[in-house]
Amino acid sequence: MMLFSEVRGLPVVPPAGAGPIGTVTSLTVDIASGAVSHVRLRGSRPGRTSVLSWDSVLAAGPGAVRVRSAAAPDTVPPHHDLLGRRVLTEAGTARGTVLDVAFDPETGRVLAVFTTRGEVPCHRLLGLGDYALVVRAG
C-alpha cells in the first residue's frame, strides 16, 4: 500500500538508469475502474508538464516511480486531483475533504480514501468532477 501524498514529489525515472525525466505532481484516478489511470509530472524544464499512462509504470516505490517510457499517451482524460477535494454523498450531503488516498503501487488500484470525516472504502466511490468526489452514503 502507498499513499498519494507519498508519491507526490517523487522523481520519475526510466529503467535504464538515466536521470529523472520529471517529478510526480499528481495521480489521475478513473473512478469507474477504481484505479490510477495516469501520472502527471513536472518536467526538468520550468513550466513543462507531462502525462504518462499508468500502464507505462514499472514500479512505484518510496524512492522513485520507474517507467518503461516517457511517451505521452494518445488520449489524456480530464484531471481532477483527489487530494483536497470536497466529498459529497449522491444526495449532496457533505462528508468532509479528501486528505489522502491509499492505492496498490503495483496495480494502481485505489484501496481507500481518507477524509476529514474518516475512511471511505473504494467500493463507495461514484464519481469525481470539478467540484467534488461523490460517494455512496452508508
Side-chain angles (χ1 to χ4, degrees):
M1 177 184 85
M2 199 164 186
L3 298 172
F4 276 28
S5 62
E6 294 172 329
V7 175
R8 190 177 272 182
L10 287 180
V12 177
V13 296
I21 57 174
T23 304
V24 176
T25 57
S26 62
L27 300 174
T28 300
V29 172
D30 174 40
I31 295 295
S33 69
V36 175
S37 64
H38 293 80
V39 177
R40 296 192 177 258
L41 56 131
R42 181 178 36 257
S44 54
R45 292 186 293 240
R48 177 133 177 163
T49 59
S50 301
V51 178
L52 301 174
S53 170
W54 183 260
D55 293 337
S56 69
V57 173
L58 291 170
V65 174
R66 296 205 176 280
V67 295
R68 288 181 187 80
S69 97
D74 292 334
T75 60
V76 178
H79 175 69
H80 305 290
D81 198 346
L82 268 171
L83 299 181
R85 183 74 50 194
R86 178 176 313 201
V87 180
L88 299 173
T89 66
E90 69 268 42
T93 305
R95 291 290 183 215
T97 304
V98 176
L99 297 173
D100 219 332
V101 180
F103 73 105
D104 181 331
E106 291 181 25
T107 65
R109 189 104 182 119
V110 172
L111 304 172
V113 175
F114 303 107
T115 75
T116 54
R117 302 221 13 221
E119 182 178 331
V120 177
C122 62
H123 68 273
R124 288 185 42 210
L125 306 182
L126 291 174
L128 177 62
D130 290 335
Y131 185 71
L133 170 66
V134 180
V135 300
R136 282 183 191 86

